[in-house]
Amino acid sequence: MTMPVLPASLDGLQLRAQLASALSQQGWDSPAARAAALLHVRASIDRFRKQAFASLSGAGGGAVAAHLLCDGMSACLHALFDSMAAADETGSAGVALCAQGGFGAGELAPSSDIDLMLIKPDGASEETDAFLQQFLYALWDLKIDVGGGACRTMDETIELTSEDASERTALLSLRHLAGDETATAALAQRFRDEVVAGDLPGFVEAKLKERDARIEKAGRSRYTVEPNLKSGKGGLRDLQLMRWLAQFLYGADAFERWVGSRLLSVEDVSKYILADDFLWTVRFHLHEIAGGKDERLTFDVQPEIAARMGFEDGETENGVERFMRRYFRTAMDVGALTRLVCAKLEADAWKSKPKGLARFLPPGMDAAEEADVGEFIVREGRLDFAHATQIREDPIRLMRFFHVAASRRLDLHPEAVARIGRTLHLIDDDFRRAPRAARAFFAVLLDSAAPMAVLRMMTEAGVLGRYVPEFGDIVARTQFNMYHRYTVDEHTLQALGLLREIEDGLHPLDHPLVTRLAPLVQNRRALHLAVLLHDTGKGAGDQCIEGAARAMTACERMGLGEAETELVSWLIANHLLMSDTAQRRDLSDPQTVADFAAAIGTVERLRLLTVLTVVDIRSVGPGVWNGWKGQLIRELYAATEQVLSSEGDNLQLARETLADKAELARKRIRPRLERVNPAFAAWWASELNDAYWTAFSEEDRFRHAAFVRHARDAGRQTSAAVRVDRRRAATEVMIWSPDRARVFADIVAAFAEVGADVVGATINTTASEQVFDIFYIQDAAGQPYGRLDALQRQALVEYLREVATGEITVRRRDAAPLKRRDAAFRVTPSVTISNELAEQATVIEASGRDRPGLLADLADILADEHLALTSAQIDGYGERATDVFYVTHRGAKLEDEAIAERIRSGLLAVFSESETAFDKTAAQRGIARARASVLR
């Protein structure tokens, strides 16, 4: 007979009957009867699990599922305990089985630990200990992961919770499951009277400190693109904390009373409910896909969860990006509600007041509570509106309110935040065009000591997105790739924060160029607006073109003049130009500098674009910016500034600038070399072309010359050397060898063989037909290769000597095992071949999935067609590599279309082979894939 789906109470009754039947003859002491009984318990648990998953529907149903599974598990544990207790009345006397933690609160995820505690009587007998042991063994055999699982007396529990915050947290949700109910009730009362009531404010403070520690461990920003669903900021733990604080301090009807007092709105409570349901739905799917209690929404699970929850691809966002945007909007809602509740605790003196916005500033710049706040008031250390109708009387006060908060470094009062939320509809077109609103907004943007903090407050309150709808369109937007670490709006706010730090001179060592340029900028407001709006074109087509158009609309609406509006728009249209040129073009080629200078036009625009480029790259995420990129940008700036500061044809000026720089470099180094070996000095100065002499600093050039001189003095035709270059954050590798076919391909294959990533390369063929190549390599962690291991570096030197001579054949690296995280991305390759980008070479740009050995495989295709490599630029954006090769064919540009087509097809095949393999393996392993975003 097939049983219908039953509520937990009736299913528990059925389980009790099954246990009674299985144990009727021999009882729990019989291994066979015990095994049969536990099979019934396991089957019942599995039935509840199936019912819980069946309750999921699209993007919802998770909250119901969590309660169903909890109720089912509670019923099973109750039945199991009662059955075992009935068989051992002496051992079970005075014992209580309790749920605590999340399980005690009535929620359970599929792979979560079951938070249990067994209360035993004082002076427990051997029979009691034996019973407890047998019960825990039964849970072990059922493969139930028990969190806590402690067997303690009441006195032991009270003593422990007085000292351990995590134990206090778990006991807050104590719930009786089975056994001696009076023991559970007595423990709950003692806990409240002896532990909590003694120092209630201190108890709340400890709870919030515990939250801060949890968030610090999981990642402080709620906008990291692989968030921790449970412990991260804006996640399930924050929801649970908010609910507990409300009910514990203000009673079971706290939410109702807060709505009555207008601290919260009905919409706020609805947001809470929807957030809880959505996050629990995600968690159920995550546990099932991960096959365990993984709580992190990593890239490899995001596409599958998005598909399960019904998020489909759209024209401008794929399904996984739409899913993650919903997640981050939910996290924002949770964050806003948590902020309100915490502010309420401060107002009611349950927790100490924060330092306000001063916590984002250097020491000594405290919140100015006694300062003049004009038409507003300071209440409980926070800025508030003077009366309830203040916003409706003059909606512009909304913007001035944030200006005052920023200038006085004050946090916002919870009732003010609630009032702002109820009046967002007043930010309409008339508001957005009001000069007074613009003045207040620009005061926040340009004059605030902590612009990132106050603009984030405006974002989370909904004000910034309403006032600047172009920015509102990127709030919570994600890009499905491994390059970006934050949502688009969070990246933008961090860029604005970094810009202010650079203006304040806080990064002279990391960013010496822009630290020098910032005070020279004449159009500061245009720069800040360009940073604010630079990514607003994402999701609407070409991000630069669309962003520029949106900036034009926004600037005109805010009252900027035509020239300033055009400047902001130009900066956004070109905000990727400098990084692309610096990282993908040969900076020693006059054509590169001439084309870039023509696109820029003026030194002021060059300064603005340089600052914008640096803050944009640096704010992508930790580890993206490095000394190598900084060096490239400094070199491009210096060459371009020289051209723009002179009169004449850009290309001719670039040639002259680079030629003069090369000649000056030769002249400066010759005296130093002549003091050691005059003959070598004369030979070396004429051995290399201008491209080499413009690409390095004087110290670099002297070191290179010393390396070659030592090789010649030792009679070695082939030599190699390495050194850690901390300025470039890479290990420099120098190769001196006779030229031959495939030498570049073999060398980069050797790097792949030892696990080194090439991040830069300068290719030189001398007048005497020697190869003098300089590579910059890093390890898999983005650090200089072998930086702490001299033996590893020396071993690389010996290996490269053999490779460069061609004495050994470098084995091309086999495809690495598929990683789930990599497999989630479907990377579309592209290849372009141009004769317009360089004076004397053809430029080939190949972009596709990055992997170990890729550069060698691409170089093999070029070598197969007998192309000579004159320069190589290696760039990467997470899962995507973009490698650029400057090549010649028989000493000139490649003009043969047939050869060009074979090269294009060959390079695409290198990318496509690995992508096809990923498709096949992903399908076999059940890994969902999604198109990787190409937006930067």
Side-chain angles (χ1 to χ4, degrees), residues 174-394:
L174 188 69
R175 176 168 60 90
H176 182 75
L177 288 176
D180 189 344
E181 194 166 0
T182 59
T184 305
L187 175 60
Q189 189 62 47
R190 285 189 61 184
F191 174 66
R192 190 169 185 101
D193 292 345
E194 299 177 30
V195 178
V196 178
D199 181 16
L200 203 52
F203 191 77
V204 173
E205 285 281 358
K207 187 68 180 157
L208 293 174
K209 285 181 180 178
E210 181 185 282
R211 172 188 181 262
D212 289 342
R214 162 173 54 83
I215 288 171
E216 195 68 43
K217 182 178 179 180
R220 177 151 292 279
S221 174
R222 71 173 60 92
Y223 307 112
T224 51
V225 292
E226 290 185 289
N228 189 304
L229 175 71
K230 178 181 176 183
S231 301
K233 199 171 184 180
L236 274 167
R237 276 282 184 261
D238 277 357
L239 273 177
Q240 293 165 344
L241 172 65
M242 188 191 326
R243 180 177 59 208
W244 172 80
L245 288 173
Q247 295 177 350
F248 187 77
L249 298 176
Y250 300 98
D253 62 344
F255 277 73
E256 298 95 307
R257 288 194 285 121
W258 285 349
V259 171
S261 66
R262 308 202 76 187
L263 175 68
L264 298 181
S265 65
V266 173
E267 183 182 2
D268 290 330
V269 177
S270 297
K271 286 180 180 179
Y272 175 93
I273 295 169
L274 290 172
D276 186 67
D277 187 51
F278 176 80
L279 293 176
W280 272 107
T281 304
V282 175
R283 194 178 187 199
F284 263 71
H285 289 305
L286 176 58
H287 280 201
E288 185 176 38
I289 293 168
K293 54 183 177 182
D294 194 345
E295 306 294 355
R296 196 163 170 231
L297 268 176
T298 50
F299 290 130
D300 54 302
V301 299
Q302 290 176 13
E304 177 65 23
I305 296 177
R308 290 185 178 201
M309 294 179 67
F311 291 90
E312 299 178 348
D313 291 350
E315 291 186 10
T316 59
E317 277 182 306
N318 61 29
V320 67
E321 289 170 340
R322 296 176 65 198
F323 160 63
M324 291 306 297
R325 192 171 198 187
R326 169 73 182 275
Y327 172 86
F328 286 116
R329 286 197 177 278
T330 299
M332 285 181 67
D333 289 340
V334 174
L337 292 170
T338 303
R339 182 181 178 86
L340 280 174
V341 170
C342 289
K344 175 65 174 172
L345 296 177
E346 291 163 17
D348 293 349
W350 290 118
K351 70 181 289 283
S352 59
K353 298 177 177 62
K355 292 174 63 180
L357 291 179
R359 64 189 183 277
F360 300 104
L361 302 174
M365 298 182 67
D366 294 330
E369 293 191 32
E370 303 302 321
D372 178 23
V373 293
E375 59 196 320
F376 308 112
I377 60 172
V378 176
R379 189 149 60 96
E380 287 104 17
R382 291 173 174 262
L383 191 66
D384 197 3
F385 294 97
H387 54 82
T389 62
Q390 207 170 11
I391 299 176
R392 295 186 181 278
E393 291 171 359
D394 182 7

Side-chain angles (χ1 to χ4, degrees), residues 155-193:
D155 287 342
E156 291 169 342
T157 302
I158 294 300
E159 182 180 358
L160 183 62
T161 54
S162 300
E163 301 170 353
D164 190 320
S166 62
E167 291 290 341
R168 287 198 299 273
T169 300
L171 212 61
L172 291 169
S173 302
L174 188 69
R175 176 168 60 90
H176 182 75
L177 288 176
D180 189 344
E181 194 166 0
T182 59
T184 305
L187 175 60
Q189 189 62 47
R190 285 189 61 184
F191 174 66
R192 190 169 185 101
D193 292 345

Side-chain angles (χ1 to χ4, degrees), residues 4 31 105 112 135 156 218 318 322 458 487 628 649 686-687 714 854:
S112 291
F135 183 73
E156 291 169 342
N318 61 29
R322 296 176 65 198
M458 293 175 68
T487 57
W628 174 253
D649 176 72
S686 61
E687 188 72 0
L854 172 65

Side-chain angles (χ1 to χ4, degrees), residues 447-743:
D447 301 334
S448 169
M452 180 175 69
V454 70
L455 289 170
R456 185 179 288 129
M457 286 167 55
M458 293 175 68
T459 300
E460 295 178 349
V463 172
L464 187 56
R466 290 281 297 187
Y467 180 64
V468 186
E470 295 80 7
F471 181 83
D473 287 344
I474 62 169
V475 170
R477 180 179 289 278
T478 66
Q479 299 148 98
F480 187 62
N481 57 42
M482 288 194 285
Y483 179 59
H484 294 90
R485 312 296 174 86
Y486 305 109
T487 57
V488 181
D489 56 314
E490 176 66 10
H491 157 72
T492 299
L493 297 180
Q494 294 209 18
L496 283 165
L498 177 61
L499 174 57
R500 176 57 49 79
E501 291 176 2
I502 288 171
E503 289 181 326
D504 291 342
L506 300 181
H507 298 283
L509 298 180
D510 288 344
H511 302 293
L513 175 60
V514 291
T515 297
R516 177 172 63 84
L517 295 181
L520 304 177
V521 164
Q522 300 169 21
N523 295 274
R524 182 168 176 263
R525 182 168 69 172
L527 175 60
H528 282 255
L529 278 173
V531 175
L532 176 68
L533 300 170
H534 78 279
D535 273 346
T536 55
K538 287 184 173 178
D542 185 297
Q543 68 181 91
C544 295
I545 295 174
E546 295 297 331
R550 291 182 170 214
M552 292 280 283
T553 301
C555 291
E556 181 275 329
R557 189 176 58 241
M558 287 187 278
L560 271 67
E562 183 177 346
E564 191 175 13
T565 296
E566 190 277 331
L567 179 57
V568 174
S569 179
W570 180 88
L571 283 168
I572 293 171
N574 293 278
H575 79 273
L576 298 177
L577 177 62
M578 190 171 203
S579 61
D580 283 350
T581 304
Q583 296 173 65
R584 299 186 185 182
R585 297 292 176 259
D586 183 355
L587 301 184
S588 66
D589 189 317
Q591 189 74 53
T592 297
V593 177
D595 289 347
F596 183 68
I600 302 302
T602 69
V603 173
E604 170 67 4
R605 287 192 172 192
L606 177 62
R607 291 170 181 157
L608 292 167
L609 189 61
T610 303
V611 177
L612 172 56
T613 300
V614 170
V615 299
D616 186 20
I617 297 175
R618 174 69 182 267
S619 300
V620 167
V624 174
W625 176 268
N626 56 38
W628 174 253
K629 292 178 181 177
Q631 178 69 17
L632 292 174
I633 287 174
R634 288 191 291 272
E635 290 177 9
L636 178 58
Y637 179 89
T640 308
E641 183 185 41
Q642 183 68 30
V643 171
L644 293 176
S645 300
S646 307
E647 295 290 336
D649 176 72
N650 280 346
L651 182 56
Q652 185 59 33
L653 287 170
R655 291 191 189 114
E656 293 172 359
T657 297
L658 295 172
D660 290 345
K661 182 179 180 182
E663 186 58 29
L664 178 63
R666 290 186 179 98
K667 288 180 179 178
R668 294 184 67 170
I669 200 172
R670 281 193 69 162
R672 296 179 67 181
L673 297 178
E674 287 172 347
R675 286 196 291 270
V676 180
N677 187 326
F680 174 82
W683 173 81
W684 184 244
S686 61
E687 188 72 0
L688 293 164
N689 61 23
D690 287 355
Y692 167 78
W693 295 102
T694 60
F696 296 94
S697 70
E698 183 173 348
E699 289 306 313
D700 289 333
R701 292 189 288 266
F702 187 75
R703 184 176 62 256
H704 296 164
F707 160 70
V708 174
R709 180 172 53 79
H710 284 306
R712 284 168 58 86
D713 290 348
R716 292 194 299 265
Q717 280 194 310
T718 301
S719 188
V722 302
R723 63 178 288 275
V724 175
D725 189 331
R726 288 182 171 78
R727 181 168 56 96
R728 292 184 173 94
T731 293
E732 180 185 65
V733 179
M734 295 176 283
I735 305 287
W736 175 255
S737 174
D739 196 9
R740 65 173 178 82
R742 295 187 185 277
V743 64

